[in-house]
Amino acid sequence: MPKTVDPAALRVTVGQYSSAGRKAANQDFHGAIVPDGAALTMKGVALAVADGISSSPVGHVAGERAVKSFLTDYYCTSDAWTVKTAASRVIDATNSWLHAQSRHVEDRDLAHVTTLSALVLKGSRAYIFHVGDSRISRCVGQDLEPLTDEHRLRPSRR
């Protein structure tokens, strides 16, 4: 049976690339899921990128876990939930898991710490989520337009 294509359906082409920055180790992890059928309609397309802290020997593990958890767990949430509710609950659960992995680590530079930036495209809307000292920007011509600010905790010096 031929597949009927809805001309109004969301179509996305994804390209991904990452390389190490100033440091030799690349702590980045990224991924995307472009589902078919009902999942595309109900959940949309999900993309995520994470950057584990380079001072930690498990920074790359934290980044990979954050992205994989977001991408797989988001699609397991209730279709009755809004994108915001689904994504927020998945991010909170992943954050709790990462925190639990590091609760007995005395040196926080050795903990499971990562940034996470995610995008969900559903219908004609884009939903952005991010945690950590990352920033999401939109490319407009040759310029970057910041859409978010970094989340940074600045401890007071007493």
Side-chain angles (χ1 to χ4, degrees), residues 46-100:
L47 307 98
V49 61
D51 181 15
I53 61 169
S54 60
S55 60
S56 173
V58 292
H60 67 289
V61 173
E64 180 177 350
R65 172 62 59 192
V67 169
K68 285 183 175 180
S69 293
F70 182 81
L71 294 177
T72 57
D73 295 352
Y74 171 73
Y75 288 96
C76 294
T77 61
S78 171
D79 289 342
W81 290 356
T82 65
V83 172
K84 180 180 178 182
T85 297
S88 296
R89 289 191 182 182
V90 167
I91 291 168
D92 287 347
T94 303
N95 189 49
S96 293
W97 186 89
L98 290 169
H99 183 264

Side-chain angles (χ1 to χ4, degrees), residues 22-40:
R22 293 182 208 122
K23 297 183 180 179
N26 185 358
Q27 302 284 3
D28 302 344
F29 198 86
H30 53 83
I33 294 182
V34 183
D36 290 323
L40 179 61

Side-chain angles (χ1 to χ4, degrees), residues 2 5 106:
V5 177
E106 293 196 25

Side-chain angles (χ1 to χ4, degrees), residues 1 5 15 18 21 27 41-42 48 54 57 71 76 97 109 118 122-123 133 144 152 154 157-158:
M1 173 181 259
V5 177
S18 177
Q27 302 284 3
T41 303
M42 298 304 292
S54 60
L71 294 177
C76 294
W97 186 89
D109 281 342
K122 181 180 176 191
D133 64 346
L144 289 178
R152 287 194 176 153
R154 299 191 192 280
R157 301 205 193 285
R158 292 184 181 197

Side-chain angles (χ1 to χ4, degrees), residues 6-13 34-35 40-41 43-46 120-125:
D6 177 2
L10 179 64
R11 289 185 297 267
V12 176
T13 302
V34 183
L40 179 61
T41 303
K43 295 293 187 184
V45 175
V120 175
L121 302 170
K122 181 180 176 191
S124 62
R125 296 183 181 255

